[in-house]
Tab-separated table of all heavy atoms in Angstrom:
chain	number	residue	atom	x	y	z
A	1073	PHE	N	-38.442	-19.234	-6.583
A	1073	PHE	CA	-39.792	-18.671	-6.564
A	1073	PHE	C	-40.673	-19.364	-7.607
A	1073	PHE	O	-41.804	-19.743	-7.342
A	1073	PHE	CB	-39.713	-17.164	-6.845
A	1073	PHE	CG	-41.050	-16.494	-6.959
A	1073	PHE	CD1	-41.804	-16.200	-5.830
A	1073	PHE	CD2	-41.575	-16.154	-8.198
A	1073	PHE	CE1	-43.040	-15.590	-5.923
A	1073	PHE	CE2	-42.813	-15.545	-8.314
A	1073	PHE	CZ	-43.535	-15.265	-7.162
A	1074	ASP	N	-40.123	-19.552	-8.811
A	1074	ASP	CA	-40.888	-20.159	-9.893
A	1074	ASP	C	-41.193	-21.633	-9.623
A	1074	ASP	O	-42.264	-22.121	-9.946
A	1074	ASP	CB	-40.121	-20.014	-11.212
A	1074	ASP	CG	-41.000	-20.330	-12.408
A	1074	ASP	OD1	-42.086	-19.736	-12.502
A	1074	ASP	OD2	-40.596	-21.178	-13.218
A	1077	LEU	N	-43.287	-21.863	-5.854
A	1077	LEU	CA	-44.552	-21.130	-5.769
A	1077	LEU	C	-45.172	-20.939	-7.151
A	1077	LEU	O	-45.501	-19.834	-7.549
A	1077	LEU	CB	-44.314	-19.765	-5.110
A	1077	LEU	CG	-43.655	-19.803	-3.736
A	1077	LEU	CD1	-43.263	-18.414	-3.306
A	1077	LEU	CD2	-44.586	-20.425	-2.721
A	1078	PRO	N	-45.352	-22.034	-7.914
A	1078	PRO	CA	-45.863	-21.855	-9.284
A	1078	PRO	C	-47.251	-21.252	-9.331
A	1078	PRO	O	-47.569	-20.492	-10.229
A	1078	PRO	CB	-45.841	-23.264	-9.864
A	1078	PRO	CG	-45.840	-24.177	-8.691
A	1078	PRO	CD	-45.134	-23.429	-7.592
A	1079	SER	N	-48.105	-21.597	-8.360
A	1079	SER	CA	-49.468	-21.068	-8.417
A	1079	SER	C	-49.460	-19.558	-8.213
A	1079	SER	O	-50.203	-18.840	-8.883
A	1079	SER	CB	-50.356	-21.746	-7.378
A	1079	SER	OG	-49.930	-21.441	-6.081
A	1080	ILE	N	-48.607	-19.069	-7.314
A	1080	ILE	CA	-48.522	-17.618	-7.105
A	1080	ILE	C	-47.979	-16.956	-8.358
A	1080	ILE	O	-48.472	-15.927	-8.803
A	1080	ILE	CB	-47.648	-17.290	-5.867
A	1080	ILE	CG1	-48.366	-17.746	-4.603
A	1080	ILE	CG2	-47.326	-15.801	-5.805
A	1080	ILE	CD1	-47.572	-17.588	-3.338
A	1081	SER	N	-46.976	-17.578	-8.955
A	1081	SER	CA	-46.385	-17.044	-10.184
A	1081	SER	C	-47.440	-16.970	-11.287
A	1081	SER	O	-47.563	-15.962	-11.977
A	1081	SER	CB	-45.217	-17.927	-10.614
A	1081	SER	OG	-44.692	-17.493	-11.838
A	1082	GLN	N	-48.230	-18.035	-11.453
A	1082	GLN	CA	-49.264	-18.049	-12.487
A	1082	GLN	C	-50.351	-17.028	-12.188
A	1082	GLN	O	-50.839	-16.349	-13.086
A	1082	GLN	CB	-49.869	-19.450	-12.607
A	1082	GLN	CG	-48.935	-20.448	-13.252
A	1082	GLN	CD	-49.470	-21.870	-13.172
A	1082	GLN	OE1	-50.402	-22.147	-12.427
A	1082	GLN	NE2	-48.870	-22.770	-13.937
A	1083	GLN	N	-50.738	-16.917	-10.907
A	1083	GLN	CA	-51.771	-15.956	-10.536
A	1083	GLN	C	-51.302	-14.537	-10.814
A	1083	GLN	O	-52.066	-13.709	-11.310
A	1083	GLN	CB	-52.143	-16.104	-9.062
A	1083	GLN	CG	-52.943	-17.351	-8.764
A	1083	GLN	CD	-53.137	-17.575	-7.276
A	1083	GLN	OE1	-52.648	-16.807	-6.454
A	1083	GLN	NE2	-53.838	-18.639	-6.938
A	1084	THR	N	-50.039	-14.251	-10.481
A	1084	THR	CA	-49.494	-12.914	-10.711
A	1084	THR	C	-49.469	-12.622	-12.206
A	1084	THR	O	-49.904	-11.564	-12.651
A	1084	THR	CB	-48.076	-12.803	-10.120
A	1084	THR	OG1	-48.142	-13.120	-8.738
A	1084	THR	CG2	-47.511	-11.410	-10.295
A	1085	GLN	N	-48.992	-13.589	-12.986
A	1085	GLN	CA	-48.942	-13.425	-14.436
A	1085	GLN	C	-50.354	-13.243	-14.985
A	1085	GLN	O	-50.602	-12.348	-15.799
A	1085	GLN	CB	-48.274	-14.638	-15.063
A	1085	GLN	CG	-48.116	-14.533	-16.559
A	1085	GLN	CD	-47.446	-15.769	-17.147
A	1085	GLN	OE1	-47.261	-16.768	-16.464
A	1085	GLN	NE2	-47.104	-15.690	-18.412
A	1086	SER	N	-51.301	-14.072	-14.535
A	1086	SER	CA	-52.686	-13.986	-14.979
A	1086	SER	C	-53.280	-12.623	-14.644
A	1086	SER	O	-53.987	-12.024	-15.451
A	1086	SER	CB	-53.488	-15.106	-14.323
A	1086	SER	OG	-54.849	-14.956	-14.585
A	1087	PHE	N	-52.981	-12.114	-13.440
A	1087	PHE	CA	-53.492	-10.825	-12.997
A	1087	PHE	C	-53.002	-9.708	-13.918
A	1087	PHE	O	-53.780	-8.875	-14.380
A	1087	PHE	CB	-53.059	-10.560	-11.548
A	1087	PHE	CG	-53.391	-9.187	-11.052
A	1087	PHE	CD1	-54.673	-8.889	-10.620
A	1087	PHE	CD2	-52.441	-8.184	-11.024
A	1087	PHE	CE1	-55.001	-7.615	-10.163
A	1087	PHE	CE2	-52.747	-6.911	-10.577
A	1087	PHE	CZ	-54.030	-6.627	-10.146
A	1088	PHE	N	-51.692	-9.705	-14.224
A	1088	PHE	CA	-51.133	-8.638	-15.059
A	1088	PHE	C	-51.639	-8.731	-16.495
A	1088	PHE	O	-51.925	-7.713	-17.128
A	1088	PHE	CB	-49.604	-8.635	-15.008
A	1088	PHE	CG	-49.072	-8.040	-13.739
A	1088	PHE	CD1	-48.414	-8.818	-12.816
A	1088	PHE	CD2	-49.267	-6.693	-13.445
A	1088	PHE	CE1	-47.948	-8.273	-11.633
A	1088	PHE	CE2	-48.807	-6.128	-12.266
A	1088	PHE	CZ	-48.140	-6.922	-11.356
A	1089	ILE	N	-51.790	-9.945	-17.010
A	1089	ILE	CA	-52.340	-10.107	-18.357
A	1089	ILE	C	-53.768	-9.582	-18.396
A	1089	ILE	O	-54.171	-8.875	-19.320
A	1089	ILE	CB	-52.272	-11.585	-18.804
A	1089	ILE	CG1	-50.812	-11.977	-19.070
A	1089	ILE	CG2	-53.128	-11.834	-20.041
A	1089	ILE	CD1	-50.594	-13.449	-19.300
A	1090	ALA	N	-54.562	-9.922	-17.351
A	1090	ALA	CA	-55.961	-9.465	-17.298
A	1090	ALA	C	-56.031	-7.937	-17.249
A	1090	ALA	O	-56.874	-7.329	-17.915
A	1090	ALA	CB	-56.664	-10.067	-16.084
A	1091	LYS	N	-55.149	-7.318	-16.461
A	1091	LYS	CA	-55.159	-5.851	-16.371
A	1091	LYS	C	-54.807	-5.230	-17.716
A	1091	LYS	O	-55.404	-4.233	-18.132
A	1091	LYS	CB	-54.194	-5.358	-15.279
A	1091	LYS	CG	-54.671	-5.670	-13.876
A	1091	LYS	CD	-56.041	-5.076	-13.625
A	1091	LYS	CE	-56.667	-5.592	-12.360
A	1091	LYS	NZ	-58.092	-5.384	-12.280
A	1187	SER	N	-62.806	-18.879	-14.573
A	1187	SER	CA	-62.319	-18.286	-13.325
A	1187	SER	C	-62.079	-16.804	-13.543
A	1187	SER	O	-61.895	-16.367	-14.683
A	1187	SER	CB	-60.990	-18.935	-12.903
A	1187	SER	OG	-61.148	-20.317	-12.743
A	1188	PRO	N	-62.047	-16.015	-12.458
A	1188	PRO	CA	-61.710	-14.600	-12.601
A	1188	PRO	C	-60.383	-14.421	-13.339
A	1188	PRO	O	-59.463	-15.217	-13.171
A	1188	PRO	CB	-61.618	-14.109	-11.149
A	1188	PRO	CG	-62.565	-15.008	-10.415
A	1188	PRO	CD	-62.409	-16.357	-11.074
A	1189	ASN	N	-60.321	-13.392	-14.160
A	1189	ASN	CA	-59.172	-13.019	-15.000
A	1189	ASN	C	-59.075	-13.843	-16.272
A	1189	ASN	O	-58.191	-13.593	-17.094
A	1189	ASN	CB	-57.838	-13.062	-14.245
A	1189	ASN	CG	-57.786	-12.053	-13.118
A	1189	ASN	OD1	-58.366	-10.980	-13.231
A	1189	ASN	ND2	-57.111	-12.386	-12.041
A	1190	ASP	N	-59.974	-14.829	-16.482
A	1190	ASP	CA	-59.980	-15.564	-17.750
A	1190	ASP	C	-60.497	-14.644	-18.861
A	1190	ASP	O	-61.356	-13.790	-18.631
A	1190	ASP	CB	-60.916	-16.787	-17.684
A	1190	ASP	CG	-60.310	-17.952	-16.927
A	1190	ASP	OD1	-59.118	-17.874	-16.537
A	1190	ASP	OD2	-61.029	-18.948	-16.723
Side-chain angles (χ1 to χ4, degrees):
F1073 175 77
D1074 193 53
L1077 304 170
S1079 65
I1080 292 175
S1081 176
Q1082 288 171 346
Q1083 288 172 359
T1084 303
Q1085 183 180 10
S1086 172
F1087 173 80
F1088 283 112
I1089 289 171
K1091 290 303 168 198
S1187 302
N1189 296 327
D1190 283 354

